[in-house]
Amino acid sequence: MERRNAEGYHDPTAYGGMRMAEQKAEKETVRMVYKNGRMELYIHEFFPCRLAVARKVFPLIRRFAKEDDREKLKQFLRIKAREHSGKAQAFSEKAESLTAKSEEWHFYRRKAREEQIIYNQCMKNLKLLEGRKE
């Protein structure tokens, strides 16, 4: 998409609109169609989700989403879990190499905890998606 229109004039509004439309077309979704309506969840924006939300959403996904959408979501959550597990480990190792209680040490410990929380969310989301109890 060019920033100029057919006559050659600069047209940022059309360019911006087309860029937004193209981005939305690329988003992966989980679609659920049920008796009274439908729901679409954007995988990259919605997941991993907190446990309270997951307990409400995953039974709906297991019941109303197609198998390929469920598999796509499983793959996404597995990749995210690996990614955040690796980051948590790297931040922990970095913190261990620093002087205890220093400002940098606190920074890397906090980052490791944040990554560990996201990893735990991914794992709990996977369990709920597969229908297993916590």
Side-chain angles (χ1 to χ4, degrees), residues 38-95:
R38 64 183 175 88
M39 184 186 329
E40 286 187 16
L41 300 173
Y42 294 117
I43 292 175
H44 294 277
E45 285 82 13
F46 193 82
F47 298 102
C49 57
R50 296 192 181 273
L51 189 57
V53 174
R55 284 185 176 145
K56 294 176 184 176
V57 169
F58 284 110
L60 295 173
I61 292 172
R62 286 194 315 267
R63 187 170 175 195
F64 297 113
K66 292 182 180 177
E67 179 63 34
D68 58 332
D69 282 348
R70 289 193 305 264
E71 193 57 39
K72 185 170 40 176
L73 180 56
K74 277 183 193 176
Q75 284 296 96
F76 172 78
L77 289 170
R78 286 181 186 133
I79 290 168
K80 277 294 195 191
R82 272 195 309 267
E83 175 185 319
H84 290 286
S85 173
K87 286 181 180 180
Q89 186 175 2
F91 285 134
S92 292
E93 290 171 1
K94 180 67 176 171

Side-chain angles (χ1 to χ4, degrees), residues 17-29 31 40 42 44-45 72:
M18 289 305 292
R19 263 188 79 217
M20 293 294 285
E22 289 171 359
Q23 287 176 355
K24 287 183 181 178
E26 296 174 8
K27 291 186 178 181
E28 291 185 79
T29 61
R31 289 187 179 90
E40 286 187 16
Y42 294 117
H44 294 277
E45 285 82 13
K72 185 170 40 176

Side-chain angles (χ1 to χ4, degrees), residues 111-133:
K111 295 300 278 182
R113 281 192 304 272
E114 290 171 1
E115 295 297 328
Q116 187 65 40
I117 288 169
I118 297 172
Y119 168 77
N120 291 342
Q121 284 179 338
C122 289
M123 296 310 292
K124 288 176 183 175
N125 282 192
L126 273 168
K127 285 180 184 177
L128 289 170
L129 181 60
E130 293 169 352
R132 294 182 284 155
K133 298 285 182 192

